[in-house]
Amino acid sequence: MKDRIDRIIKSPFVRNVMIMGTGTAAAQAIAMVLSPIITRLYGPESYGIMGTFMAIVTILTPIASLTYPIAIVLPKSSTEAKGLIHLSLITSLIIAGIFSFLLLAFDKTIINLFHLNKVGNFIYLIPVTIMCAGILQVIEQWLIRTKQFKVSAKATFIQALISQGSIVGIGFLYPFASILVVVQSLREGLKALLMILLVKKANIKSLFEVNDKKISKKSLLKKYNDFPLFRAPEVFLNGLSQSLPILMLTSFFGPASAGFYSISKTVLNLPTQLIGKSVGDVFYPRIAEAANNKEDLTGLIKKATISLAIIGIVPFGTIIIFGPWLFSVVFGSDWLNAGVYARWVALWTFFAFINQPSVRSLPVLSAQAFQLKYTIFMLITRVIMLGAGYFVFSSDKIAIALFGISGAILNLNLILITLKISKKFDKLKSVNR
């Protein structure tokens, strides 16, 4: 038994997850220590304004490069991977330019149409955030491809230290929503810069070196066309689905309700970022490698999912049982309602936490068209649930409860469908051996 445990601990997969998890854990520790100070400095309304801005960013930044960076991990050829890097950066620049033009030309119309009066001139930060996100996505995927997980871990920790420290330090003198918005908008750019500084100069130089005669941008566009056609719309709609509660709560019940949701989601993202994302980042190249080597993908997905479920039951279960009391003690009595929200959000987030292996497997299983369709279905369901909470029950708490329950069911169903797809993939693979 001891030898088996030692083998598990020493396995490259577990070791890489631990490396990623260590950096994220340190970053989350900083967030946990400073969050009670931040919530007392800024208050629910400032959090709501910041949450509204971040909701917009969450929708747009995943498509900063039309998801081409996700493909960087897949090709065996490093030349092809570097061609995708160039393609991703060019795409980010074009998209940031398009949004800059739209905001300059139609800023007032956009603000009025989407009820963004509270956000105001902060919307001009969106193109900057999009460009920063595109660069970060490229560097993150390249580091995943080359298994430089230590660099990602260090950058995650330093980014949290600088950004959270800035919010607290400035907040003592100037505790306004603008500080939260500006710091959050620059977070991804800061992390990208830190990664570049932490990587060896030779590696950075090789990252951007590619012989254009050997790889055609046109051939890359054709070969990986499922990413902009299926994955980009899917991540856009998924981002919209994730941001719906903040946008609809702001519109229906005001910025304070959006603030309650924002802090509850921030807290519940701690285990997701600490373990779920770390496992997902390491699992993605592992499942891609397993597919190339014709291994049992269904078994890998099952093991990773069950492991996450065992890990996640304690933190998410604690919030479901003690949410209101914990939030009022840690963040102050003004945040009691955030704890009520958190109970229902935790139910959904738990299943989103354990579906990381399934979501990361879908590009490898060539199931991105299915993922897009399912995301559209999820989006429609969530709009209906939140709308029912407002129009039928006139209650923000019921709206969040319906949202949380539906989210749990939808994510569980996604895991089950992914396992069915992987079984078919495994059978087809065994026939073609």
Side-chain angles (χ1 to χ4, degrees):
M1 185 68 176
K2 184 181 178 182
D3 292 338
R4 186 178 179 183
I5 293 172
D6 288 339
R7 284 199 303 272
I8 291 171
I9 293 173
K10 291 177 181 179
S11 71
F13 180 82
V14 173
R15 189 169 62 248
N16 289 333
V17 170
M18 290 175 68
I19 290 170
M20 291 291 286
T22 300
T24 307
Q28 298 299 350
I30 293 169
M32 289 176 68
V33 169
L34 296 181
S35 287
I37 302 172
I38 294 171
T39 52
R40 285 170 171 83
L41 285 172
Y42 292 92
E45 186 162 341
S46 292
Y47 247 90
I49 294 170
M50 182 269 289
T52 303
F53 175 82
M54 291 308 298
I56 300 167
V57 168
T58 299
I59 296 169
L60 298 177
T61 53
I63 58 166
S65 300
L66 296 181
T67 68
Y68 280 120
I70 299 173
I72 292 169
V73 175
L74 298 178
K76 290 184 178 180
S77 165
S78 60
T79 301
E80 189 170 311
K82 290 175 184 177
L84 285 166
I85 288 169
H86 281 217
L87 182 61
S88 300
L89 292 173
I90 292 168
T91 304
S92 292
L93 185 61
I94 293 171
I95 291 175
I98 291 171
F99 274 99
S100 296
F101 170 75
L102 290 174
L103 290 174
L104 289 171
F106 307 105
D107 53 347
K108 292 181 180 178
T109 304
I110 292 170
I111 289 171
N112 293 329
L113 182 63
F114 295 101
H115 306 287
L116 301 177
N117 296 315
K118 291 283 185 180
V119 177
N121 291 332
F122 295 137
I123 63 169
Y124 296 112
L125 290 170
I126 290 173
V128 176
T129 308
I130 288 173
M131 192 66 223
C132 289
I135 296 169
L136 177 61
Q137 289 164 15
V138 166
I139 298 172
E140 277 186 328
Q141 293 300 319
W142 178 67
L143 292 175
I144 289 171
R145 176 183 173 83
T146 55
K147 299 182 180 179
Q148 297 185 65
F149 300 109
K150 287 183 180 179
V151 174
S152 295
K154 288 179 182 177
T156 300
F157 168 69
I158 299 171
Q159 177 214 42
L161 189 64
I162 294 173
S163 59
Q164 296 296 104
S166 298
I167 289 172
V168 171
I170 300 171
F172 280 112
L173 302 172
Y174 194 79
F176 296 103
S178 57
I179 300 303
L180 292 172
V181 172
V182 171
V183 172
Q184 292 293 343
S185 68
L186 298 177
R187 276 174 60 88
E188 296 195 330
L190 173 62
K191 189 174 181 179
L193 177 62
L194 289 169
M195 285 179 168
I196 292 171
L197 294 174
L198 290 169
V199 173
K200 293 179 181 178
K201 290 183 179 179
N203 288 338
I204 280 293
K205 187 178 179 182
S206 67
L207 170 63
F208 297 104
E209 281 180 351
V210 63
N211 189 338
D212 288 329
K213 293 180 180 178
K214 291 185 178 180
I215 190 75
S216 164
K217 296 290 188 298
K218 187 177 180 180
S219 65
L220 288 175
L221 288 169
K222 185 176 180 180
K223 183 174 182 179
Y224 295 97
N225 65 353
D226 57 328
F227 284 87
L229 287 177
F230 300 122
R231 190 59 184 265
E234 186 278 325
V235 297
F236 172 78
L237 293 173
N238 186 56
L240 179 59
S241 181
Q242 298 281 338
S243 299
L244 264 179
I246 293 177
L247 297 174
M248 293 182 74
L249 285 169
T250 301
S251 179
F252 293 159
F253 302 104
S257 291
F260 293 142
Y261 178 84
S262 294
I263 191 64
S264 68
K265 195 68 175 70
T266 299
V267 170
L268 289 163
N269 273 342
L270 294 178
T272 303
Q273 292 295 320
L274 173 59
I275 301 167
K277 187 176 184 299
S278 299
V279 169
D281 286 345
V282 177
F283 187 78
Y284 184 35
R286 174 69 185 96
I287 198 79
E289 181 183 356
N292 289 330
N293 295 333
K294 298 185 177 180
E295 297 178 37
D296 176 20
L297 304 190
T298 305
L300 286 172
I301 296 168
K302 280 183 179 178
K303 287 177 184 177
T305 303
I306 293 170
S307 298
L308 285 175
I310 294 170
I311 293 167
I313 196 69
V314 173
F316 291 107
T318 301
I319 296 295
I320 290 171
I321 297 169
F322 302 109
W325 177 77
L326 283 172
F327 273 69
S328 61
V329 170
V330 176
F331 302 113
S333 57
D334 289 343
W335 296 90
L336 177 66
N337 282 339
V340 177
Y341 281 28
R343 278 183 159 168
W344 298 107
V345 177
L347 185 64
W348 153 50
T349 311
F350 170 72
F351 287 98
F353 173 75
I354 69 173
N355 82 355
Q356 285 292 312
S358 297
V359 171
R360 297 303 180 107
S361 300
L362 290 172
V364 179
L365 297 171
S366 301
Q368 298 195 106
F370 153 74
Q371 191 175 8
L372 172 59
K373 293 173 186 175
Y374 196 78
T375 301
I376 294 171
F377 175 68
M378 291 175 75
L379 177 61
I380 294 170
T381 303
R382 287 171 171 175
V383 169
I384 293 171
M385 293 298 104
L386 289 169
Y390 177 69
F391 292 107
V392 178
F393 300 99
S394 300
S395 169
D396 56 332
K397 294 181 181 66
I398 293 178
I400 290 297
L402 293 172
F403 182 84
I405 293 168
S406 63
I409 295 170
L410 290 166
N411 278 289
L412 175 60
N413 195 46
L414 177 62
I415 294 169
L416 297 175
I417 295 173
T418 301
L419 288 172
K420 286 184 180 180
I421 294 171
S422 68
K423 285 178 183 178
K424 290 181 181 178
F425 187 90
D426 286 334
K427 284 181 182 179
L428 182 63
K429 175 186 63 182
S430 62
V431 170
N432 294 331
R433 278 181 181 173

